[in-house]
Amino acid sequence: MISLAGRDILQAWGKFVFTGVGLGLLIGVTLSMAGIYRGMIDDAKVLLDNSSADLWVVQKDTLGPYAEPSSIYQDTWRGIRGMPGVARTANVTYLTMQVRQGERDVRAMIAGITAGEPGTPGWPPYLVAGRQITRSHYEAVADIASGFELGDRLQIRRNHYTVVGLTRRMVSSGGDPMIFIPLKDAQEAQFLKDNDAILQSRRRTEANPAFNKPGSPDLLGAVIDSQTTNTYVNAVLVQIEDGYSHDDVAESIRRWKRLTVYTRAQMEEILVGKLIATSAKQIGMFLVILSMVSAAIVAFIIYTLTLGKIREIAVLKLIGTRNRTIAGMILQQAIALGVIGFVVGKIVATLFMAPIFPKYVLLEPLDSIFGFIAVVLICVLSSVIAIYAALKVDPAEAIG
Amino acid sequence: MSEKGIRIGGLSKRYGKGDTAVDALKHVDMHVAPGEVVGLTGPSGSGKSTLLKCLGAVISPTAGRMTLGDQVIFDDGWKVKDLRALRRDKIGYVFQAPYLIPFLDVTDNVALLPMLRGVPNGEARAKALELLTALDVQHRARAMPSKLSGGEQQRVAIARGLVNQPPVILADEPTAALDSPRAMAVIKILNEMAHKFQTAIIVVTHDEKIIPTFKRIYHIRDGVTHEETGEGRGFE
Ligand SMILES: Nc1ncnc2c1ncn2[C@@H]1O[C@H](COP(=O)(O)OP(=O)(O)O)[C@@H](O)[C@H]1O
Ligand SMILES: [Mg+2]
């Protein structure tokens, strides 16, 4: 027996290829959407991995520092440092903002990292170029996704920074490239008011007789100092000594310091389950819509192709072709269309979408396999109407 | 009595029910022996197609009996189980429009029928080529149907009707689209094939050119047949 479906496709290959390419573009977008979701999860994991922290200590009852604002006193780390099982601690601040360089500005997540040696929690674990920050002010390490280069001068708030090192794949969970600067600078940037605001605040403080007592001239200076310096950080990153249970250390910090502490697993849960959840739902919706559009296209094309063959189908039935053979012919064509579409879609996603998309697109082989199965299933379901129409054809139609 | 060929007796077909019912066939009797080519004529709407559909096991008659060789096909509302297999194995069809499968080449259009019966591809194609040669279209064996002339298409369609060597061939206006010499050639082929394979052939036609070639003609009017014995000029 010969393949009726195959012969028909060979005869009308133009129609199949064009439809397949159109379907392929849709499938390419669908695969890319899945890749964007995977990329977001991967970004979140990389963010957590690269912070080289085992625990995140944040303001009590917050989901900080990534999903919610968190603010804890900058000296909190000292108390945590002394607790059993704690190897290292480091303050960290994060703020997302526009970073200016000359004419252009880039949205970035600024990470304020404590002075120390490489390996300190919060530090970028490896650089692709340049060196780590060595001075306590006005140096920056930027991710290459920001477009900055070594030696570039960036402006964050009022201060200028020189890029001394470059990282790769260091992005926030929102996909913004990270820029590391010294903690003190970051604290200042986070709480910095503009000049007028500082002057006004100073004037109000001076006018307050409680602060400006004639007998104690130092008081006013101290109050103004405390108003303009930021003594808070967003989180304390903790590394745990080998041999200690992360959960146990987290629990004792919770109990003794009355702070909220997250382990790596909990932090991942927060990022993936809460921060990315809305985007994931949007992507899920798009996947559903794209699947339905693809199904409609396949159904329409296969139905049209089948209607164009009603006479031949009547003849095939008259000469004794089984319904199964005729249904198989239509089904195989639908699947062939799906396979062409999938191959085109995979190529589009891999070669065109992923490289140019402004977000990290992670195309997982397993997603491709699921995608392929879904495409085939959709094609099978879409051919049902056409098969129904073909089976209804009366062989008597072949005789006048 | 051992029956040969195709025989119908008291065959009736009613379309629809109640007031709108149409009696397309009324107690039709007919017999075509193996090796015989008979004509079937009648005005439009007289029931030719309906009769052909019953003979072709495409629709079931309302009443009456039809036998093919020793096998009973229809008997007063009863019918054999698998009409599809019967059509595949026992009946060949040749239509006015050849209705070739456009995506199969000439050889495979013919070879498809034995293939549907499970004959291996190579064997089926060899058989097809043999018939195409007999019908003098072997030079177009690898062409697609759309590239053939009307006469060539009709000959391929005849090859398709004959390839399984069915005991019965039904031809519906097989010469309507052909000029006189080609029409006569087709009738000649049908007669030769009937003789060679002992096939019972029924040809529905309006074609004045070929009517005189039939030894026997069934004339149908308002669902009733009258047998006429013509002065067949003979092609044996
Ligand atoms: N499927 C059908 N349903 C109802 N009436 C039909 C159907 N097919 C044919 N008829 C009627 O049966 C009669 C015979 O039709 P048909 O067999 O097609 O005649 P012919 O082929 O000789 O023109 C006509 O009156 C026609 O209207
Ligand atoms: Mg008719």
Side-chain angles (χ1 to χ4, degrees), chain A residues 400, chain B residues 45 48-50 172:
Chain B
K48 302 186 296 296
S49 293
T50 304
D172 192 3

Side-chain angles (χ1 to χ4, degrees), chain B residues 7-86:
Chain B
R7 176 182 291 279
I8 56 179
L11 204 79
S12 298
K13 176 67 187 178
R14 168 174 291 191
Y15 289 114
K17 283 195 185 94
D19 294 345
T20 57
V22 177
D23 285 310
L25 296 176
K26 298 164 192 160
H27 295 282
V28 172
D29 298 318
M30 192 175 195
H31 174 241
V32 185
E36 194 183 14
V37 181
V38 303
L40 179 62
T41 65
S44 183
S46 57
K48 302 186 296 296
S49 293
T50 304
L51 181 55
L52 213 56
K53 284 173 193 171
C54 288
L55 289 165
V58 180
I59 60 173
S60 306
T62 318
R65 186 179 164 91
M66 171 169 139
T67 55
L68 183 56
D70 291 330
Q71 191 183 5
V72 179
I73 313 296
F74 300 116
D75 195 2
D76 272 330
W78 178 92
K79 61 175 186 182
V80 289
K81 270 211 187 74
D82 196 350
L83 288 179
R84 183 192 60 76
L86 180 85

Side-chain angles (χ1 to χ4, degrees), chain A residues 97-158:
Chain A
M97 59 182 297
Q98 298 297 119
V99 175
R100 232 164 305 148
Q101 188 227 355
E103 290 295 282
R104 73 194 188 102
D105 59 337
V106 172
R107 186 162 190 81
M109 181 162 92
I110 312 290
I113 53 175
T114 49
E117 69 276 10
T120 304
W123 279 49
Y126 53 86
L127 301 178
V128 291
R131 58 168 175 82
Q132 296 279 7
I133 295 167
T134 51
R135 304 210 192 122
S136 51
H137 286 296
Y138 311 131
E139 285 187 345
V141 168
D143 190 82
I144 52 168
S146 65
F148 296 134
E149 287 168 16
L150 287 183
D152 278 356
R153 299 265 297 157
L154 341 162
Q155 190 184 345
I156 298 170
R157 295 283 172 113
R158 254 183 284 147

Side-chain angles (χ1 to χ4, degrees), chain A residues 60-270:
Chain A
K60 193 157 169 45
D61 299 329
T62 69
L63 294 170
Y66 309 110
E68 276 182 5
S70 149
S71 165
I72 56 179
Y73 188 57
Q74 64 182 8
D75 281 341
T76 307
W77 67 272
R78 288 178 203 281
I80 297 168
R81 176 72 190 81
M83 297 186 65
V86 174
R88 289 211 269 190
T89 59
N91 282 331
V92 71
T93 66
Y94 297 106
L95 69 150
T96 299
M97 59 182 297
Q98 298 297 119
V99 175
R100 232 164 305 148
Q101 188 227 355
E103 290 295 282
R104 73 194 188 102
D105 59 337
V106 172
R107 186 162 190 81
M109 181 162 92
I110 312 290
I113 53 175
T114 49
E117 69 276 10
T120 304
W123 279 49
Y126 53 86
L127 301 178
V128 291
R131 58 168 175 82
Q132 296 279 7
I133 295 167
T134 51
R135 304 210 192 122
S136 51
H137 286 296
Y138 311 131
E139 285 187 345
V141 168
D143 190 82
I144 52 168
S146 65
F148 296 134
E149 287 168 16
L150 287 183
D152 278 356
R153 299 265 297 157
L154 341 162
Q155 190 184 345
I156 298 170
R157 295 283 172 113
R158 254 183 284 147
N159 297 325
H160 288 87
Y161 298 80
T162 306
V163 176
V164 297
L166 293 175
T167 62
R168 185 191 294 282
R169 284 282 294 123
M170 299 285 296
V171 292
S172 75
S173 57
D176 301 320
M178 286 177 78
I179 293 176
F180 299 85
I181 60 173
L183 181 72
K184 284 277 162 223
D185 291 351
Q187 279 177 293
E188 196 190 328
Q190 203 163 33
F191 291 83
L192 192 64
K193 296 167 183 149
D194 63 58
N195 284 342
D196 283 350
I198 293 170
L199 284 174
Q200 275 178 19
S201 147
R202 187 184 293 250
R203 217 175 294 130
R204 270 199 299 278
T205 312
E206 278 169 0
N208 186 337
F211 295 139
N212 203 354
K213 284 187 181 156
S216 43
D218 292 345
L219 180 61
L220 180 65
V223 168
I224 286 171
D225 259 7
S226 78
Q227 282 173 345
T228 48
T229 53
N230 171 17
T231 53
Y232 287 85
V233 294
N234 297 143
V236 176
L237 305 178
V238 176
Q239 279 176 0
I240 291 175
E241 268 177 49
D242 289 346
Y244 283 85
S245 146
H246 293 196
D247 287 325
D248 291 350
V249 176
E251 190 46 45
S252 66
I253 298 173
R254 266 179 218 123
R255 182 142 18 99
W256 297 110
K257 300 294 169 191
R258 295 164 187 274
L259 290 165
T260 295
V261 184
Y262 295 113
T263 61
R264 165 66 208 247
Q266 291 168 329
M267 209 62 202
E268 197 172 310
E269 172 65 27
I270 289 171

